[in-house]
Structure formats: C-alpha cells, structure tokens
Amino acid sequence: KAGVTQTPRYLIKTRGQQVTLSCSPISGHRSVSWYQQTPGQGLQFLFEYFSETQRNKGNFPGRFSGRQFSNSRSEMNVSTLELGDSALYLCASSLVTRSDEQYFGPGTRLTVT
Amino acid sequence: ELKVEQNPLFLSMQEGKNYTIYCNYSTTSDRLYWYRQDPGKSLESLFVLLSNGAVKQEGRLMASLDTKARLSTLHITAAVHDLSATYFCGPGGGNALTFGSGTRLQVQP
C-alpha cells in the first residue's frame, strides 16, 4: 500500500508570495490533516478535511487555507507569505477521523526569504 | 483545551541504560499515540494505545496508558544509539488529537 505523498518536498519563496502544497493520502483514507512544525512552536495542527469539508481548524490566521477533492487529495495554500511561515508542513491521513491512527507524509520544507 | 506535557523535553542517556518518558494530558481521552521522528524526517507511528491499562512493546520500547491518571509512559530498556530521535505523544478521541512538545532522546555510546 502506497504511503502518504506530499509535493513538492522543498520550496523556497519570497515574502508576500503565495504557495500551494499538495497531499495524497493513503488509498481508502478519507481524513487528511495538516500540521506545521517549527523549532520554536513544535508541531501545531492547522486543519482537517473529511469528505471535501473542513472539519476542524487550528489557531492559524486566515492566510492559511486548504481544500480537499473528491478523491481525498488535499491542498493547502498560504497567501502573503511571512518569514515566520518557514516550516516543515506535514500532511497526515487517517481512515475516518483525526483521532484514528494517523500516517504522516514526508513533509514539505518551506523556506520564506 | 487539551494540553499535553511531556517530560523530559531532552534526554541524554548512555547505551545500555533504562529510562522512562512521561506524557501527561489535561482532559479525558480514550486513546493515546506515540510517534517517533528522526531529524529532518516525518513522524512514524510507534504505538496506538486504545484502552486504560493498555501496554504495548516493540523491541526495547514499551508504552503504557493510564486513562484515569491521564498518563502514558514510554519506557526504554537497554538503550541503543539507533533509538536516538524525538518522541511525541498525542492523546486522541472524538475529533481531537494534540501533540506534546516532544522528547529529544540522545543515546551516547
């Protein structure tokens, strides 16, 4: 069974730009969650999608958004990038809910300059 | 709001020694996950603990869950260098899953 895939793996952007990250969950998994990991703030929950609907949202500004497609693939978008958005963005998929066992993708390392 | 506290945050230990990492959480949760993260890598699931009193073992690692005390432990037996990584605990249940800050484990030869 293929694991969770994320693209791109590395990204360098400039302040003010926007970025879109993609996540393909494990086949059959319907819940996709996104996390931001930074050395200072640790692992923080961004949002969760299920059946193309955002089910839960963490405490992040509206610049962070996401969506899920009918095949469960998900994208997250960050607009008007700030230096503090530099982080490892992890996507995790689970069968139904975020509290089922989560399987993490390799992450996208975003650097904002 | 669910809060998760891991102790210690950093652990340097010698090979062959035993140690325990603690995970305390603030509200009722019926399950608990442990993950391992190697530097620059993603999180890998180690244990899924689904009930009070659950104990799981894999190699030199053993995890347990006490839902009444809101406490999970990850015990390391006879540590080896390969166990050097950051370990995260995450209580779950319903729609909630919150991670602790992680315990960075460094095993010295």
Side-chain angles (χ1 to χ4, degrees):
Chain A
K1 205 182 215 181
V4 178
T5 58
Q6 291 186 246
T7 56
R9 294 292 310 280
Y10 303 91
L11 207 46
I12 299 175
K13 290 285 189 178
T14 306
R15 253 187 321 178
Q17 287 186 314
Q18 77 163 20
V19 67
T20 299
L21 311 182
S22 181
C23 171
S24 292
I26 290 173
S27 177
H29 284 194
R30 296 170 63 191
S31 168
V32 175
S33 297
W34 289 89
Y35 296 87
Q36 181 197 64
Q37 188 176 32
T38 59
Q41 298 296 319
L43 195 57
Q44 294 187 287
F45 170 69
L46 279 156
F47 28 65
E48 180 205 4
Y49 284 87
F50 176 83
S51 291
E52 302 176 64
T53 302
Q54 188 181 87
R55 186 155 62 179
N56 288 288
K57 189 176 192 307
N59 192 22
F60 277 80
R63 300 185 297 108
F64 291 81
S65 63
R67 59 179 175 166
Q68 186 182 35
F69 302 94
S70 58
N71 61 359
S72 294
R73 190 177 71 85
S74 177
E75 289 181 346
M76 68 163 278
N77 184 277
V78 188
S79 62
T80 321
L81 283 166
E82 299 177 0
L83 295 178
D85 297 333
S86 295
L88 179 66
Y89 289 89
L90 292 164
C91 163
S93 76
S94 54
L95 270 172
V96 176
T97 78
R98 191 157 65 95
S99 60
D100 293 327
E101 185 173 7
Q102 296 203 324
Y103 295 82
F104 283 82
T108 294
R109 172 79 59 188
L110 172 65
T111 302
V112 182
T113 62
Chain B
E1 183 193 333
L2 176 60
K3 288 187 176 7
V4 184
E5 195 174 286
Q6 282 184 240
N7 287 294
L9 296 182
F10 178 72
L11 177 57
S12 179
M13 57 192 296
Q14 284 188 310
E15 279 192 329
K17 299 290 188 185
N18 305 333
Y19 208 86
T20 301
I21 298 170
Y22 297 88
C23 173
N24 288 91
Y25 50 97
S26 59
T27 63
T28 303
S29 182
D30 64 0
R31 64 193 69 187
L32 193 292
Y33 302 94
W34 283 97
Y35 291 88
R36 167 184 172 144
Q37 185 178 36
D38 291 299
K41 300 287 179 67
S42 188
L43 275 71
E44 173 193 348
S45 179
L46 284 175
F47 298 108
V48 179
L49 302 168
L50 294 176
S51 61
N52 185 42
V55 177
K56 289 204 173 174
Q57 182 159 8
E58 179 76 34
R60 300 171 189 274
L61 299 177
M62 184 173 72
S64 66
L65 177 62
D66 181 342
T67 57
K68 291 177 185 172
R70 297 176 192 163
L71 171 69
S72 180
T73 61
L74 181 64
H75 186 73
I76 302 149
T77 302
V80 293
H81 181 70
D82 283 351
L83 291 179
S84 297
T86 299
Y87 294 85
F88 291 91
C89 67
N95 263 339
L97 175 59
T98 304
F99 289 100
S101 304
T103 295
R104 189 155 78 91
L105 172 66
Q106 201 171 67
V107 181
Q108 312 280 7

